[in-house]
Amino acid sequence: MATFLYKLGRLSFRRRHFVALIWVALLTLAGVGAASAPAAGNSSFSIPGTEAQKAFDLLEQRFPGVSADGATARVVFKAPSGEKMTDPGNKATVRETVEELADGSEVTRVTDPYRAKAVSNDGTIAYAQVSYKVSGMELEDSSRDALQDSAQDARKSGLTVEIGGDALQTVPHTGSSEIIGIAVAAVVLVITFGSLVAAGLPLLTALIGVGIGVSTITALASALDLGSTTSTLAMMIGLAVGIDYALFIVSRYRAELAEGRDREEAAGRATGTAGSAVVFAGLTVVIALVGLSVVNIPMLTKMGVAAAGTVAIAVLIALTMIPALLGYAGRKVKPMGEKGKRLGRASKQPERPNLGTRWASFVVRRPIAVLLLGVIGLGAAAVPASSLELGLPDDGSQPTSTTQRRAYDLLSEGFGPGFNGPLMVVVDAKDSDDPQAVFGDVGDEIKGLKDVVTVTPPAPNKAGDTATITVIPGSQPSSVTTENLVHGIRDAGTGIKADTDANVLVTGSTAMNIDVSEKLNDALIPYLVLVVGLAFLLLIVVFRSILVPLKAALGFLLSVMAALGAVVAVFQWGWLSELMGVEQTGPVMSMMPIFMVGVVFGLAMDYEVFLVTRMREAYVHGEKAGQAIVTGFRHGARVVTAAAVIMMAVFAGFIGSSESMVKMIGFGLAIAVFFDAFIVRMAIVPAVLALLGRKAWWLPKWLDRVLPNVDVEGEGLRSDSDRGDTDRELVRA
């Protein structure tokens, strides 16, 4: 591995014009593809294998043209103080609005509040429901504009008018904080390298890689049904790893220059050693992201694969374009430590050990104290995770400044909290002897369940073999009580199936959210086993050790639990919510735990590989186990710290997003990187390695013979003179 990458680095350095031309051509091609591709809306949402999805599919078959998954909007009217919605003037305004809404090209039906009995008992609130032919993710902007214009016209009469439902879904924006994150990364790079040119190389290559990745996603969005969140996630992760991977290779290049090597040789050796770590770090991230496909949620699979593709591009750019740009930079990229030498510090006094060396020496002397402090600290941060509540966002989780949230609150005020989460029960009586009787029995059975406020009469299809029943719960959609009601209806359906051969299915957005949460929870353990197992095997090959990968995996579990605890504290409990721009607290998004497990594991292994490979390199080259820890920190701590700060800044930049999922992911990943890089990798890892000593690098002989030698340490790159110098140093020591 190291030898191949060494040759690739030298080739890219020599043929830099050709390499640069290839990447610029790819960026241009991807940009042209994105510009010429048809515009794509948000991706469709389906959950194969769930009861809610089966019910939707059945409705498509038995109720053709109804568009069971079509968008809906609830236009909610509230009368001025002292008036009723049944007053003649208010009644006329509502009916004019209904007629205006019905003219939309994508509208299939608009209910009249007065005919549908959609007026509250006190007469102050009413609503009209608008049904569309297509889903909210496919709705034309003109239809949304017409909906909002109709509401605005109705407001002129003095009514309060708000709009709820999924018809107003919009593409999220990330805000200016994303740019601030990149600016922070630039400042950190300048401080790390002390040179604008050296600092600019990682930023330039990361932006090119992200440009290619996001443009490709945009070009394929319509054909592959990719949503806006997919490109946002790819940008988030691609920027973070792209900067970090380039940072490690440039840092190693400067260290090789400081050893007295010429620039082409230094570029080759940097690519062969640090580049090997980049390859395996990138592989762990790709495994974690592609592994999301085991959950069998198409949207999550597409997000993971797209982000993994962007990571793969970041790895390839770091291995080829960085050596090419180093060739262009020439002497503008200085050897490590040259600034101090020019100032004459080295001739006046011995060089003082850097902070990484001093910290590692302290940890090696006090491993038990550092280990206990780190574990207890992360354990305390993880405590809120014990109160984790999962759910998917609805209008009730929107900021109070939005019309969707105000409509949600008005409906709760006028009709009860459960009105915002109606359950649709689909009764398939095709195999029953008396479908009409079955429909009535199902309705009666549901009326006898707890927390049921209203059960509408069955609405059969033309064939008379399938009917829908709407159930209004007494509790809000995200409550445990509503979840219990869904399970209660399904349990009752099991008995009905045994007696009548009729299938009773529960669907609707509330039931879908419940099914998604359960599906994600069920997939978490298999996903952990798959991803951690594959990465564990990969790290055994990299480190040629059993205990080092095991320690890495256990450290990751500490990081992710502490990060989940922080997410619960902020987004569920409301701690620091104003600082984070969280206007509405509530359950943590259902896919957040499994998504964080995947991404954080990949990123955690990045720092493990980058830091511990330098320790392994020192150990293989003859240093004692304790000294190898110090050597690894002397060469790697500064760069790993810079990489972690950059990654945190990039992720934190997405906290400014208008979409709660992106905001939550940005915060969760930023805090997870902090926990993992600074507590686990910088404190717990060296403490454990110090306690293990030489045993940390133990590998059974039979396994040593079986495993391929990937030579991440670059042993194959060492010349005879290198080995002779090392041997003489060891003799003097």
Side-chain angles (χ1 to χ4, degrees), residues 519-587:
K519 189 177 182 70
L520 289 166
N521 288 337
D522 293 342
L524 184 57
I525 299 302
Y527 175 71
L528 268 174
V529 172
L530 173 67
V531 172
V532 176
L534 288 175
F536 183 79
L537 294 175
L538 183 65
L539 292 178
I540 289 177
V541 174
V542 174
F543 296 125
R544 306 195 76 77
S545 164
I546 298 292
L547 296 179
V548 170
L550 179 62
K551 171 263 310 167
L554 294 176
F556 149 74
L557 291 176
L558 281 173
S559 299
V560 77
M561 289 305 297
L564 277 175
V567 169
V568 170
V570 173
F571 290 88
Q572 188 176 308
W573 292 359
W575 294 4
L576 303 177
S577 57
E578 291 185 6
L579 180 64
M580 298 297 167
V582 180
E583 296 187 38
Q584 180 64 36
T585 59

Side-chain angles (χ1 to χ4, degrees), residues 661-691:
M661 179 178 177
V662 175
K663 182 189 292 287
M664 194 177 292
I665 288 174
F667 171 79
L669 294 184
I671 198 69
V673 168
F674 171 77
F675 288 145
D676 196 84
F678 293 107
I679 299 180
V680 173
R681 309 302 154 188
M682 291 287 190
I684 294 177
V685 164
V688 172
L689 290 177
L691 290 172

Side-chain angles (χ1 to χ4, degrees), residues 56 60 66-71 132-136 166:
F56 271 127
E60 291 287 343
V66 173
S67 300
D69 61 345
Y132 293 88
K133 299 176 183 177
V134 297
S135 69
D166 59 356

Side-chain angles (χ1 to χ4, degrees), residues 398-421:
Q398 296 271 10
T400 53
S401 58
T402 63
T403 186
Q404 294 98 318
R405 174 59 188 277
R406 291 195 291 263
Y408 181 97
D409 291 340
L410 284 175
L411 288 172
S412 296
E413 176 187 340
F415 302 94
F419 198 80
N420 284 292

Side-chain angles (χ1 to χ4, degrees), residues 427-636:
V427 185
D428 177 9
K430 189 174 184 180
D431 298 329
S432 301
D433 297 331
D434 188 355
Q436 293 298 324
V438 171
F439 300 154
D441 291 343
V442 172
D444 293 339
E445 186 78 19
I446 295 173
K447 288 177 183 176
L449 298 176
K450 292 181 179 179
D451 200 48
V452 173
V453 174
T454 304
V455 178
T456 64
N461 61 350
K462 290 182 179 179
D465 57 7
T466 307
T468 60
I469 300 172
T470 300
V471 180
I472 305 298
S475 304
Q476 62 183 14
S478 59
S479 68
V480 176
T481 307
T482 301
E483 182 178 347
N484 292 336
L485 175 59
V486 170
H487 290 302
I489 296 173
R490 288 172 175 171
D491 291 341
T494 303
I496 292 170
K497 169 70 174 176
D499 296 336
T500 65
D501 290 329
N503 289 315
V504 178
L505 305 173
V506 185
T507 189
S509 59
T510 301
M512 181 68 82
N513 290 352
I514 292 169
D515 287 351
V516 170
S517 299
E518 292 179 353
K519 189 177 182 70
L520 289 166
N521 288 337
D522 293 342
L524 184 57
I525 299 302
Y527 175 71
L528 268 174
V529 172
L530 173 67
V531 172
V532 176
L534 288 175
F536 183 79
L537 294 175
L538 183 65
L539 292 178
I540 289 177
V541 174
V542 174
F543 296 125
R544 306 195 76 77
S545 164
I546 298 292
L547 296 179
V548 170
L550 179 62
K551 171 263 310 167
L554 294 176
F556 149 74
L557 291 176
L558 281 173
S559 299
V560 77
M561 289 305 297
L564 277 175
V567 169
V568 170
V570 173
F571 290 88
Q572 188 176 308
W573 292 359
W575 294 4
L576 303 177
S577 57
E578 291 185 6
L579 180 64
M580 298 297 167
V582 180
E583 296 187 38
Q584 180 64 36
T585 59
V588 173
M589 216 156 315
S590 299
M591 62 181 65
M592 190 66 187
I594 199 166
F595 185 82
M596 279 191 64
V597 164
V599 178
V600 173
F601 182 79
L603 300 179
M605 295 306 103
D606 273 7
Y607 298 117
E608 181 75 15
V609 171
F610 289 138
L611 192 59
V612 180
T613 47
R614 289 307 293 257
M615 300 179 193
R616 171 74 182 173
E617 185 177 339
Y619 181 77
V620 168
H621 291 170
E623 292 188 9
K624 293 182 179 180
Q627 183 58 38
I629 297 172
V630 178
T631 300
F633 267 77
R634 182 171 69 247
H635 292 298

